Amino acid sequence: MTLHSIDRFRRATVLGGPSLAALCLMPLAVGTASAQAVTELPTVVVRPSTPAAVASGPGLGSYTPADTAFISGPEAQNATLWTSDSGSLFTRVPGGATWGAGGVSSLPAANGMGADRVQVAINNMIFSPACPNEMNPPMSYVNPAMISSVKVYMGAAPVSVGGDYTGAKADVTVAPPKFTPGQALTVSGSASGFYRSNGNSYGVDFNGTVSNEDTSVRYTGGWVRASDYTSGNGTVIKSTMYETQNHALTIAKQMNQSLFTFQIGGQFIPYQGYVNQYMDMVDNKSIYANGSYAGDFDWGKLEASMFANRVRHTMGFIQPDKTGDMPMDTRSTDMGYKVKATIGASPIDIVRVGNELYYNNLDDWWPPVAGSMMMGPDTFENINNGQRLRFGYFGEWERHVDAQWTTIVGLRNDIVWMNTGDVQGYNQMMYGENAAFFNSQSHARTDFNIDGSAIVRYEANAFSLYELGFSRKTRSPNLYERYAWSTDAMAMQMIGWFGDGNGYVGNLDLEPEKAHTVSFTADWHDPTQKVWQVRVSPYYSYVQDYIDVQRCALPGCLANLPNNLTADNTFVFLQFANFDAWMYGVNIDGKLALWDDPTFGQGGFRGALNFVRGQRTDGVNLYHMMPVNATLALDHTLGNWSSSLEVQLVAAKTLVSEVHNELETSAYALLNFRTSYTAGQLKVDFGIDNILDTQYDLPLGGANLVNYQVSSMMGTSTAWGYPVAGPGRSINTRVTVAF
């Protein structure tokens, strides 16, 4: 019995439906990812009240909690009108935000947890930090137009979703296979070009597919270039320029009830400025390959994937905004596999078991600078042959008790082995003591991490759904958090992805952080999901051994800044350390159809409100907590026209991290307008972002380290106290031709 027939049997016995005899006559052979090639019986809607966004057909993938956020392919592609940063898509989901970074490299955040706490998998590939500033996060490897879907698990996610994260998990699908009926080859695709006035940004996207009913060859990619953008008051925000190109080629073959997929892709970024970092990206090349298999069997479904990724990255200074000479190089290799079996144990029970392995190898070295006494004569070894290996396995049981109740429980174990080689500084005089102390210690660490989750869903009637979830999630430190070793001021300022201008040093004694989360979701809606919906998702997390920072009290740090432990109006030096912490908040989103008229088209309202609060148990506020924010929008469709008028509201940020000397920001409101017209195979988009040219500062943008300078012994140095201003008005256009 296949999982598809199990699902029909479950619906018949539990929810009511066709007789068992009728079910026995249903076809059992169903090809993976080729529903169009199978003769289907007429669909019988048994539970029309189940929201499409949270419906979870048994065995057809991971269980989807009710607070899961979705970004569709069309939504991601439409976003290219105003952004080339795939990470910024997180701002479009309830509870989502981004930490400011380069123009295409923002770090995602969800429910108050950002950067490494949000795990991003792109076609099951997981990319580890390959830069001491995390300038190449996973979402930077694809542009928005390449994305087919994003699924963000926000709260108490099932253990089968993954391990080694404490915040959200995002599954990103890029260039999935596309099949067409018949043996004749079909060619389809689209090409588009866009322009954004603020920053003089322009680029192209292309996707094309050659396919028939069992074979698919698909390419997608794009290129974009942008200059420094301008804030609302006319200030040019320096070091915000960038250029990037991304590519992905997918070859897929269907045979019987199996799907084989192979993908190869790559990225080239010749430059990308960083206004909130001391360095810029001056070269980033990557290439990856992955293969996957999915097959249906009488007992259930088997899915397997494996991948390898190679990154070569260089930091330096992009003139004229930054000047100097200090090359910093990294070379990183990621590889791994994932195997998951989904077993139809009974008509109402699904069991999932699986195993994962992920390996990262990192070399981070800084070549000497000719003629420099401080940066020579040797190569600075920041991370020498750093290794991080994670081996995990899990078991999960999903039961559909009856038409109203569903439960899922799971347990997983991830073992993380980390190690690195000995290091050296630019010279013995300035760096020898730090290097000798680090080299004298054992670098090998092993973490034995246990995760678990339990979720209960109650579908009361056609108008409401309630879900309660509990989870324990564990994350081991990354290589920089454990192994960054130097307390020299310049070296410390090269470490850190926080964009705050502070310097960081690692901690060999860090423990993995353990997040204990309870989340609840209430979803009210009309039975057809077309008229109205309100979803409320409160959550609470208590995190043991949260990996935060403390003011560095090591001799080298105090030599850099004698009042480092108490300074409150300057950049400081920090060391990674464990603290217990808590976070709580609520995400509210909804929609309402306002009118549907042949003359005036269709109009609708949508909105979202997000609140999060985070603090350590010693009373210190957590860094980069997004203030209360809301999005309100009016959408309208009339014939070939589709338009949106959107208001973004953000409260003042006053609860800041005293340890980081984090900067406060003021409240603001932005007004955006977008419209599109489709005529056959041609689509024209037009939009104006920040219509009123509002001047505002980004709450998670960090510190502006480039625009503002003060006199110092070195000539000039970065002035403390200036947040990064957001972009002013931008007029955007995009033209797409489909074929």
Side-chain angles (χ1 to χ4, degrees):
M1 178 177 283
T2 67
L3 288 177
H4 298 278
S5 57
I6 291 172
D7 185 29
R8 294 188 180 109
F9 180 69
R10 181 186 66 81
R11 292 179 180 273
T13 57
V14 178
L15 304 179
S19 67
L20 177 60
L23 284 170
C24 292
L25 299 177
M26 292 183 178
L28 300 183
V30 180
T32 304
S34 61
Q36 69 270 28
V38 180
T39 302
E40 295 285 352
L41 295 180
T43 301
V44 178
V45 180
V46 180
R47 291 289 298 173
S49 64
T50 303
V54 297
S56 58
L60 304 181
S62 298
Y63 179 94
T64 305
D67 62 351
T68 302
F70 295 86
I71 301 170
S72 68
E75 288 175 312
Q77 291 148 23
N78 289 340
T80 58
L81 176 65
W82 62 86
T83 184
S84 293
D85 179 15
S86 294
S88 69
L89 295 175
F90 274 75
T91 64
R92 315 293 294 180
V93 304
T98 55
W99 292 12
V104 295
S105 298
S106 64
L107 300 173
N111 291 350
M113 297 194 186
D116 289 2
R117 295 184 179 93
V118 177
Q119 186 182 91
V120 176
I122 299 176
N123 290 356
N124 288 323
M125 298 183 293
I126 294 178
F127 303 140
S128 302
C131 168
N133 299 156
E134 294 202 16
M135 290 183 172
N136 40 26
M139 294 294 283
S140 70
Y141 291 96
V142 295
N143 60 48
M146 298 171 66
I147 293 175
S148 295
S149 67
V150 181
K151 190 175 184 180
V152 186
Y153 297 89
M154 300 292 292
V159 296
S160 59
V161 170
D164 200 31
Y165 72 97
T166 48
K169 170 67 181 286
D171 282 329
V172 182
T173 302
V174 173
K178 176 182 176 182
F179 299 100
T180 50
Q183 287 296 319
L185 293 177
T186 301
V187 179
S188 61
S190 67
S192 61
F194 56 86
Y195 176 78
R196 310 177 195 119
S197 65
N198 195 341
N200 191 33
S201 173
Y202 53 93
V204 294
D205 293 307
F206 178 84
N207 75 84
T209 303
V210 179
S211 61
N212 60 15
E213 65 183 15
D214 59 14
T215 303
S216 172
V217 179
R218 189 174 188 182
Y219 165 82
T220 182
W223 169 86
V224 60
R225 174 183 291 168
S227 302
D228 294 338
Y229 71 76
T230 303
S231 67
N233 65 6
T235 300
V236 175
I237 306 304
K238 297 180 179 181
S239 295
T240 55
M241 78 293 283
Y242 61 87
E243 180 181 344
T244 181
Q245 56 179 285
N246 295 284
H247 308 274
L249 176 67
T250 305
I251 303 172
K253 183 73 173 180
Q254 290 186 136
M255 293 187 296
N256 298 322
Q257 297 181 20
S258 297
L259 173 65
F260 298 88
T261 304
F262 173 78
Q263 184 178 78
I264 187 171
Q267 177 202 70
F268 174 51
I269 300 181
Y271 61 88
Q272 183 176 195
Y274 284 75
V275 65
N276 62 0
Q277 296 286 358
Y278 294 103
M279 306 295 291
D280 296 316
M281 177 190 291
V282 296
D283 188 70
N284 196 88
K285 298 184 181 73
S286 72
I287 185 170
Y288 65 80
N290 68 70
S292 64
Y293 166 81
D296 283 341
F297 299 90
D298 289 343
W299 51 264
K301 186 173 185 176
L302 178 64
E303 300 167 272
S305 63
M306 62 186 303
F307 76 95
N309 176 63
R310 180 80 163 179
V311 178
R312 183 67 171 83
H313 170 72
T314 301
M315 290 195 294
F317 302 110
I318 301 176
Q319 299 185 12
D321 295 347
K322 297 176 185 175
T323 59
D325 184 17
M326 184 184 172
M328 298 173 62
D329 291 288
T330 55
R331 180 174 51 241
S332 178
T333 301
D334 290 292
M335 59 182 63
Y337 71 80
K338 180 177 182 178
V339 179
K340 182 174 74 173
T342 307
I343 304 166
S346 80
I348 62 173
D349 294 300
I350 297 296
V351 174
R352 298 182 185 93
V353 294
N355 166 235
E356 307 170 6
L357 182 144
Y358 296 101
Y359 172 74
N360 172 241
N361 180 269
L362 174 69
D363 285 300
D364 185 331
W365 74 99
W366 310 347
V369 177
S372 173
M373 295 182 61
M374 296 179 60
M375 294 180 286
D378 302 321
T379 295
F380 188 105
E381 298 282 355
N382 191 35
I383 301 289
N384 178 24
N385 191 31
Q387 299 180 58
R388 192 178 192 273
L389 175 66
R390 175 167 67 90
F391 180 82
Y393 48 92
F394 63 86
E396 188 172 274
W397 173 31
E398 177 183 342
R399 163 161 281 207
H400 294 254
V401 181
D402 55 28
Q404 295 177 311
W405 291 94
T406 301
T407 62
I408 181 168
V409 294
L411 190 67
R412 71 174 293 136
N413 169 227
D414 288 276
I415 306 173
V416 180
W417 294 273
M418 295 176 63
N419 205 348
T420 188
D422 289 345
V423 298
Q424 68 175 20
Y426 284 118
N427 52 68
Q428 182 67 22
M429 181 180 68
M430 296 180 61
Y431 305 93
E433 185 177 350
N434 274 176
F437 179 72
F438 181 85
N439 294 340
S440 68
Q441 302 178 81
S442 172
H443 306 153
R445 296 292 186 271
T446 301
D447 301 327
F448 191 84
N449 301 332
I450 300 293
D451 290 2
S453 66
I455 302 173
V456 178
R457 174 181 295 172
Y458 175 58
E459 300 180 59
N461 49 47
F463 297 90
S464 60
L465 177 149
Y466 306 94
E467 186 173 272
L468 178 65
F470 302 88
S471 70
R472 171 191 161 106
K473 302 175 187 176
T474 311
R475 180 184 77 90
S476 287
N478 66 38
L479 289 170
Y480 290 103
E481 288 169 329
R482 268 193 170 147
Y483 296 133
W485 58 272
S486 178
T487 59
D488 175 83
M490 181 274 295
M492 292 184 72
Q493 289 174 336
M494 299 300 103
I495 307 297
W497 41 95
F498 306 94
D500 56 6
N502 298 320
Y504 291 81
V505 66
N507 187 341
L508 281 168
D509 296 324
L510 284 179
E511 295 292 331
E513 55 185 21
K514 284 79 69 175
H516 306 268
T517 299
V518 55
S519 59
F520 176 77
T521 298
D523 189 323
W524 299 285
H525 47 266
D526 70 284
T528 64
Q529 294 288 287
K530 294 181 178 180
V531 181
W532 64 274
Q533 181 181 20
V534 176
R535 183 171 57 164
V536 181
S537 300
Y539 57 89
Y540 175 86
S541 291
Y542 183 82
V543 187
Q544 292 177 289
D545 295 317
Y546 184 87
I547 299 175
D548 198 32
V549 293
Q550 61 189 5
R551 293 291 177 90
C552 179
L554 297 173
C557 296
L558 297 179
N560 299 328
L561 186 67
N563 66 336
N564 187 57
L565 301 182
T566 58
D568 60 3
N569 61 351
T570 187
F571 302 113
V572 293
F573 299 97
L574 306 170
Q575 183 176 30
F576 293 106
N578 292 116
F579 296 89
D580 289 351
W582 49 260
M583 274 165 281
Y584 67 85
V586 61
N587 303 317
I588 304 173
D589 65 303
K591 63 182 180 180
L592 174 65
L594 299 176
W595 70 85
D596 188 350
D597 182 86
T599 303
F600 299 103
Q602 298 81 41
F605 166 83
R606 58 182 165 86
L609 174 68
N610 309 309
F611 165 78
V612 64
R613 178 82 172 91
Q615 194 175 80
R616 294 184 342 200
T617 55
D618 61 1
V620 173
N621 293 322
L622 296 182
Y623 182 69
H624 264 357
M625 293 290 108
M626 186 69 182
V628 177
N629 60 94
T631 300
L632 307 174
L634 181 65
D635 300 323
H636 179 234
T637 301
L638 177 62
N640 294 335
W641 285 100
S642 296
S643 304
S644 295
L645 185 65
E646 181 181 85
V647 178
Q648 296 177 344
L649 304 170
V650 179
K653 182 178 180 180
T654 57
L655 298 174
V656 294
S657 170
E658 303 92 331
V659 178
H660 288 260
N661 281 348
E662 185 178 8
L663 303 175
E664 297 184 357
T665 58
S666 301
Y668 62 90
L670 303 179
L671 182 64
N672 308 313
F673 172 73
R674 286 123 191 185
T675 188
S676 66
Y677 180 79
T678 304
Q681 294 174 305
L682 176 68
K683 182 183 179 184
V684 179
D685 296 279
F686 174 81
I688 306 177
D689 282 356
N690 194 358
I691 293 174
L692 304 179
D693 210 14
T694 300
Q695 170 70 19
Y696 67 101
D697 294 322
L698 297 168
L700 308 187
N704 189 323
L705 306 181
V706 187
N707 279 70
Y708 308 97
Q709 302 288 314
V710 295
S711 298
S712 68
M713 294 179 59
M714 303 298 293
T716 60
S717 59
T718 300
W720 179 87
Y722 295 92
V724 176
R729 182 188 299 116
S730 183
I731 299 174
N732 311 322
T733 58
R734 181 179 178 91
V735 177
T736 303
V737 178
F739 58 87

